[in-house]
Amino acid sequence: MSAPVPSARWRPSDLWRTLAGLAVVLGVAALLLAGLDAAPAWILGEPRDVRAVPTVAEAERRLGARLLLPGYFPDTIEWPPSAVRIRRGPVPGAALAFDGRRGGPYMVLGQAVRPGDVPDRLLPEIRPLDETPIWIQGEQARLRRFTGPDGQVWRELTWRTKGRQVVLRSRGTVEEMVRMARTSRDEP
């Protein structure tokens, strides 16, 4: 005959130990998932809520809105954009970067997709050298000069259309920028 097996006694401290172990496992899993979610943005040097997309069409699909594009593009700018970045959430917007035909960054077009300002995470802060008021489509706009990341003097033209703020930064001429702003439309 075999010896009787002692019965395991349940104690309240066993429940608390089990719950504490479960909390530790879930906490470690949550931290690991948060780290994995933040890794691509950290590696690319982008804010976490800014995403790169391959095309303008994909940006419009993800944002659920048409982007404003100039009807006029100077010959000095390459099409399609070299980079398309979007931000969804409470302040959605897009930034399109364009290279020049001679190479290197030449223009950035940032915009809000709803009435409001361009999300600050899409365009880096600048220190303007000077500022001039200008009129675009019957609305007052702002033209500023600043030193770009390449050390050259760039221009920034900021205006609103249908309540949406649009920011055009370029190494091009003021005339090119104004013409691009005046021909910007969101219709196909």
Side-chain angles (χ1 to χ4, degrees), residues 2-179:
S2 62
V5 176
S7 65
R9 293 189 64 202
W10 180 83
R11 294 179 294 219
S13 63
D14 292 341
L15 175 63
W16 291 114
R17 257 196 325 244
T18 302
L19 290 176
L22 181 61
V24 167
V25 168
L26 291 176
V28 168
L31 287 174
L32 182 63
L33 289 174
L36 289 173
D37 181 51
W42 178 72
I43 291 169
L44 296 173
E46 292 275 11
R48 189 170 156 244
D49 55 350
V50 173
R51 298 282 187 241
V53 294
T55 64
V56 171
E58 179 66 14
E60 290 176 334
R61 187 187 71 73
R62 287 192 188 189
L63 293 169
R66 302 273 312 166
L67 295 181
L68 295 170
L69 295 173
Y72 165 75
F73 263 88
D75 291 338
T76 53
I77 300 172
E78 287 283 337
W79 180 267
S82 57
V84 179
R85 299 167 43 241
I86 63 168
R87 179 177 190 246
R88 294 192 297 192
V91 185
L96 313 174
F98 297 88
D99 288 338
R101 293 222 185 257
R102 295 184 179 170
Y106 192 85
M107 185 181 86
V108 177
L109 177 64
Q111 58 190 276
V113 297
R114 294 191 194 118
D117 292 342
V118 174
D120 56 354
R121 295 176 186 241
L122 287 174
L123 296 173
E125 204 52 46
I126 64 166
R127 289 194 179 121
L129 302 170
D130 58 33
E131 183 174 319
T132 305
I134 190 169
W135 292 89
I136 303 289
Q137 299 170 350
E139 302 267 342
Q140 188 168 1
R142 180 178 65 200
L143 179 64
R144 302 191 297 180
R145 287 183 326 123
F146 67 98
T147 304
D150 55 3
Q152 295 186 24
V153 174
W154 285 56
R155 290 173 186 82
E156 177 186 82
L157 181 59
T158 303
W159 75 97
R160 291 192 181 275
T161 182
K162 298 179 184 174
R164 297 167 56 175
Q165 184 187 47
V166 183
V167 178
L168 177 62
R169 292 179 177 173
S170 176
R171 291 187 344 205
T173 67
V174 173
E175 291 79 18
E176 287 176 345
M177 295 175 71
V178 169
R179 189 170 175 192

